[in-house]
Amino acid sequence: EPEVTQTPSHQVTQMGQEVILRCVPISNHLYFYWYRQILGQKVEFLVSFYNNEISEKSEIFDDQFSVERPDGSNFTLKIRSTKLEDSAMYFCASSVTGYNEQFFGPGTRLTVL
Amino acid sequence: AQSVSQHNHHVILSEAASLELGCNYSYGGTVNLFWYVQYPGQHLQLLLKYFSGDPLVKGIKGFEAEFIKSKFSFNLRKPSVQWSDTAEYFCAVNAPGYQKVTFGTGTKLQVIP
């Protein structure tokens, strides 16, 4: 069964550094998403992406964040200058259309020191 | 704005006991409803979904949920739990026409053999 994959599984970085989290969505899916879960808190929506554009974003997704589909398979989340409060589990998801269930990857645990 | 409340943060049951996990949502219009499960060390998986039609929804692994519109509820049930159901369960809601999915805080279920 096709799955969403994410790399790395764990990323440790220093405050102020840039990080890029990578995702490979399910191949026939057209919509891609990033969510995050700070330890002990809810899974929160960050952004959705369709046709090489952001289609929705939350208030969390400020200028420090960007997303890109650099090729036909990868979908990336970049945090330009990480802060301590960016430490969280980041989940990528994909769906066939914008109105179907979303399939989630295993997550990348980001630790900012 | 959408919000989701899950009343139980941690539930401990013996095998063969019946399960009901509460979920209430807050949103003024039509909603799509989901239950996701996260087994230890694994990613979020869809258990079941409700978009329209029969308010009693059957999902995988013997789970079901009932949408009660008047109560803004979507409780998850299973008549007889197994040790393998030990996991964290997330209720989620999405407004048709939007991609953002809003999650509840999750309920950790521990099933004792």
Side-chain angles (χ1 to χ4, degrees), chain A residues 3 31 33 35 37 42-43 45 48 55-56 91 98-99 101-102 104-106, chain B residues 4 32 34 36 38 43-44 46 49 51 90 97-101 103-105:
Chain A
E3 289 185 338
Y31 285 78
Y33 313 87
Y35 290 79
Q37 186 179 27
K42 294 183 183 189
V43 175
F45 171 81
S48 62
S55 50
E56 278 179 51
F91 295 103
Y99 315 116
E101 63 265 32
Q102 296 172 16
F104 284 79
Chain B
V4 180
N32 299 323
F34 308 87
Y36 281 88
Q38 189 171 27
H43 56 275
L44 284 163
L46 184 70
K49 65 186 181 193
F51 284 5
F90 296 89
Y98 294 90
Q99 288 103 55
K100 170 184 173 179
V101 173
F103 284 82
T105 49

Side-chain angles (χ1 to χ4, degrees), chain B residues 7-109:
Chain B
H7 317 298
N8 315 100
H9 297 297
H10 196 180
V11 172
I12 302 173
L13 293 173
S14 298
E15 270 192 318
S18 65
L19 170 72
E20 181 158 3
L21 301 183
C23 172
N24 286 90
Y25 68 92
S26 171
Y27 184 67
T30 308
V31 290
N32 299 323
L33 294 154
F34 308 87
W35 276 96
Y36 281 88
V37 62
Q38 189 171 27
Y39 297 102
Q42 296 189 30
H43 56 275
L44 284 163
Q45 300 171 44
L46 184 70
L47 263 184
L48 47 78
K49 65 186 181 193
Y50 172 80
F51 284 5
S52 64
D54 188 344
L56 184 61
V57 180
K58 294 199 184 299
I60 61 171
K61 306 189 182 190
F63 286 91
E64 65 178 30
E66 185 174 13
F67 171 49
I68 303 179
K69 190 175 179 181
S70 61
K71 294 185 179 179
F72 297 90
S73 70
F74 190 56
N75 292 356
L76 181 71
R77 301 194 291 247
K78 185 170 183 179
S80 176
V81 294
Q82 301 170 320
W83 177 78
S84 57
D85 293 324
T86 295
E88 190 159 15
Y89 293 81
F90 296 89
C91 182
V93 64
N94 146 266
Y98 294 90
Q99 288 103 55
K100 170 184 173 179
V101 173
T102 299
F103 284 82
T105 49
T107 298
K108 286 191 169 81
L109 172 65

